[in-house]
Amino acid sequence: MRAMVLEAPRQPLREVELPDPEPGPGQVLLTVKACGVCRTDLHVADGELSKPKLPLVLGHQIVGVTRDGRRLGVPWLGWTDGECRYCQSGRENLCDRARFTGYDLDGGYAELAVADERSCLQIPDGYSDVEAAPLLCAGLIGYRSLRLTGDAERIGLYGFGSSAHIIAQVARHQGRRVFAFTRPGDADGQAFARELGAEWAGGSDERPPEELDAAIVFAPVGALVPAALAVLAKGGVVVCAGIHMSDIPSFPYELLWNERAVRSVANLTRADGEEFLALAPHVPVHAEIETFPLGDANDALEQVRSGRARGSTVLVP
Ligand SMILES: [Zn+2]
Ligand SMILES: [Zn+2]
């Protein structure tokens, strides 16, 4: 099979011919129809997540078809042991021995992929392969982040990329009010956010017209954490949705006082996946997508890195 392979961090992916993968016990073989590109893929390729399997096929938003014609989605959480204290308490996202797709396990920047069948998700009918791909991480992790804001009415989204543009739609559907923060001066990004239901959009250095009840930080920029705290109402929470972030600068305790909180979101559970994919058609979530051929995976990664992507970026083998 043809695949785009990371041989060492900080090097471009290389297009290679690999032996077709053989499914092991409990695994399915999938013909990859589409694979979303996630910022996490950049953190792996750039060596910021430092323990990938090498060589590695990146990609953890895989839509594929089994030999018997079932269409399945493969998310980031690729395998759990089912028996550690986290798995046993409904928190398999924190499993001590979890293996992650496109990091510990080969992912979907390829023509074929194998996946643990228990980790796979049913793709809702009505979504094309390409449309469904970004739901599998951008959508799922965004949804888990949104849930961890509780019943917050006024939500700030920092970084209006793949995840935020999906989750803005879900938040509006739930009757929440959305405030979008982009890089300062990104007028196109701000207009895009308003099209998707944000009632206000501005730069991350601006104050929204009123206090917010929660903020989700999608951009991998630690300085946004105190910036977000500074616009929260009492009792508000900042949820950090990414797997990697630059250091958070020190800030006065006053920003955290009055029961404000900062927390992270790690990975997903299969229950998150099932819940979100059942909800998506009812919103209905429509991801804005730019596709790239599999062989142009390096260009697709650069598109995500640049922040120029409008919505989601998806590879098609
Ligand atoms: Zn476990
Ligand atoms: Zn991801």
Side-chain angles (χ1 to χ4, degrees):
M1 69 164 180
R2 205 159 52 88
M4 296 298 289
V5 170
L6 179 72
E7 292 175 330
R10 293 174 291 279
Q11 287 181 12
L13 308 184
R14 213 158 67 83
E15 184 166 4
V16 296
E17 193 67 32
L18 294 177
D20 288 358
E22 298 271 352
Q27 291 186 321
V28 285
L29 176 65
L30 297 165
T31 301
V32 178
K33 296 293 187 183
C35 184
V37 178
C38 178
R39 180 165 284 281
T40 298
D41 301 342
L42 276 177
H43 294 314
V44 177
D46 290 349
E48 289 160 338
L49 298 180
S50 59
K51 295 189 183 70
K53 155 192 186 298
L54 287 174
L56 171 72
V57 180
L58 284 169
H60 57 267
Q61 306 188 84
I62 308 170
V63 177
V65 176
T66 61
R67 282 282 152 82
D68 57 3
R70 288 174 297 144
R71 191 164 70 133
L72 298 178
V74 186
W76 170 245
L77 187 72
W79 184 87
T80 55
D81 61 12
E83 58 190 28
C84 72
R85 61 188 296 136
Y86 300 103
C87 286
Q88 293 281 319
S89 57
R91 297 179 291 165
E92 64 182 357
N93 59 307
L94 302 178
C95 176
D96 281 330
R97 282 178 287 273
R99 292 185 204 149
F100 299 106
T101 311
Y103 187 57
D104 303 305
L105 307 164
D106 278 334
Y109 287 18
E111 292 172 323
L112 298 170
V114 293
D116 176 33
E117 186 156 10
R118 295 166 311 169
S119 302
C120 292
L121 297 163
Q122 293 290 334
I123 302 293
D125 295 336
Y127 282 94
S128 71
D129 301 328
V130 164
E131 286 172 326
L135 302 180
L136 293 166
C137 183
L140 269 177
I141 298 286
Y143 181 65
R144 185 174 175 87
S145 305
L146 182 64
R147 208 177 55 215
L148 293 176
T149 67
D151 58 5
E153 184 200 353
R154 299 165 295 182
I155 305 259
L157 303 177
Y158 282 80
F160 205 82
S162 183
S163 203
H165 98 288
I166 290 173
I167 251 36
Q169 299 173 45
V170 178
R172 292 289 302 126
H173 174 75
Q174 293 175 336
R176 306 180 197 245
R177 298 167 58 200
V178 173
F179 299 75
F181 297 83
T182 67
R183 295 179 198 205
D186 180 4
D188 288 347
Q190 291 161 19
F192 182 45
R194 280 189 215 97
E195 281 170 37
L196 291 174
E199 68 179 65
W200 176 88
S204 57
D205 56 344
E206 292 177 50
R207 288 192 75 84
E210 57 190 286
E211 292 183 315
L212 306 180
D213 302 305
I216 305 175
V217 179
F218 292 107
V221 180
L224 294 175
V225 172
L229 278 171
V231 302
L232 286 191
K234 289 181 273 193
V237 60
V238 176
V239 179
C240 302
I243 194 166
H244 175 85
M245 191 181 250
S246 55
D247 286 356
I248 300 172
S250 72
F251 54 86
Y253 178 59
E254 188 189 352
L255 290 183
L256 193 62
W257 172 242
N258 277 320
E259 302 199 341
R260 294 181 184 88
V262 176
R263 67 167 302 164
S264 65
V265 160
N267 315 317
L268 67 137
T269 65
R270 283 171 286 179
D272 293 330
E274 286 156 13
E275 193 177 312
F276 174 66
L277 291 177
L279 173 65
H282 295 282
V283 171
V285 171
H286 284 297
E288 187 103 359
I289 287 160
E290 184 175 355
T291 60
F292 287 75
L294 175 62
D296 292 347
N298 288 306
D299 296 337
L301 284 169
E302 283 313 309
Q303 173 85 346
V304 172
R305 185 194 306 283
S306 71
R308 283 192 309 270
R310 181 182 156 97
S312 305
T313 304
V314 176
L315 290 177
V316 181

